[in-house]
Amino acid sequence: CIQCNGTGSMVLFQQTGMGMVQQIKRICTNCSGEGRILPESEKCKKCRNRKTIDIIKNLDIFIEKGMKNNEKIIFEGEADEGYNIIPADVIIILKQLPHEQFERNNDDLLYHKDIALIEALTGFEMNIIHLDGRVLVVKSIDIINPNDIKCIYNY
């Protein structure tokens, strides 16, 4: 580059007051800090000499059963890349949305159901459609007191 003599930077002197001079070093605007200017025949047609191209990349995310609210899924080195720049990580933070039937309590799912007095005294049978579509059959033949909890293990 003629302007920076191949260094990629220029030193400018600016007078700031009577007898005072400020020295400023900045990237050469003519060659963008490269130190040389490529002829048009050598410039890349695909990236238009920016040294990067834009692509759309799909990342597959597998959300495992039991993942918590605000849990992070990290894809290392999948963020934007640039010339002489190490690519960063893509970090996805899970946000749990409220559900109309189920409530999460740590690793447990709670299902709230109001039952009639006759069902509490004589027993009942009800079907619960689980989040994955399975139908859970809940039977009770015992007397149920107010605010009782019935557990279904390992479902």
Side-chain angles (χ1 to χ4, degrees), residues 56-115:
I56 296 174
K57 184 174 184 179
N58 292 325
L59 300 174
D60 293 328
I61 301 170
F62 181 71
I63 300 175
E64 298 174 11
K65 288 182 181 179
M67 292 184 93
K68 308 265 189 280
N69 192 31
N70 293 323
E71 193 166 334
K72 294 180 182 178
I73 300 173
I74 300 173
F75 292 95
E76 294 183 9
E78 294 291 339
D80 287 345
E81 297 182 40
Y83 178 67
N84 286 338
I85 298 172
I86 298 171
D89 300 337
V90 173
I91 301 173
I92 297 171
I93 301 172
L94 299 178
K95 295 292 181 188
Q96 180 179 316
L97 298 175
H99 194 270
E100 57 189 45
Q101 292 180 329
F102 292 98
E103 177 186 334
R104 185 175 184 160
N105 183 13
N106 295 323
D107 287 338
D108 299 326
L109 282 178
L110 302 179
Y111 180 82
H112 297 278
K113 175 72 174 170
D114 292 330
I115 58 173

Side-chain angles (χ1 to χ4, degrees), residues 1-12 26-32 35 37:
C1 176
I2 298 170
Q3 223 170 356
C4 66
N5 294 323
T7 62
S9 62
M10 300 179 346
V11 177
L12 302 172
R26 67 175 192 164
I27 294 175
C28 178
T29 55
N30 193 32
C31 66
S32 300
I37 300 173

Side-chain angles (χ1 to χ4, degrees), residues 16-65:
T16 58
M18 291 287 277
M20 296 193 321
V21 177
Q22 180 180 17
Q23 181 178 341
I24 302 170
K25 185 175 183 179
R26 67 175 192 164
I27 294 175
C28 178
T29 55
N30 193 32
C31 66
S32 300
E34 291 293 315
R36 64 187 186 118
I37 300 173
L38 291 175
E40 284 298 319
S41 61
E42 292 182 27
K43 289 184 179 179
C44 176
K45 305 293 185 248
K46 193 171 186 179
C47 70
R48 295 185 301 277
N49 214 41
R50 292 181 303 147
K51 299 183 180 158
T52 59
I53 56 172
D54 295 330
I55 61 168
I56 296 174
K57 184 174 184 179
N58 292 325
L59 300 174
D60 293 328
I61 301 170
F62 181 71
I63 300 175
E64 298 174 11
K65 288 182 181 179

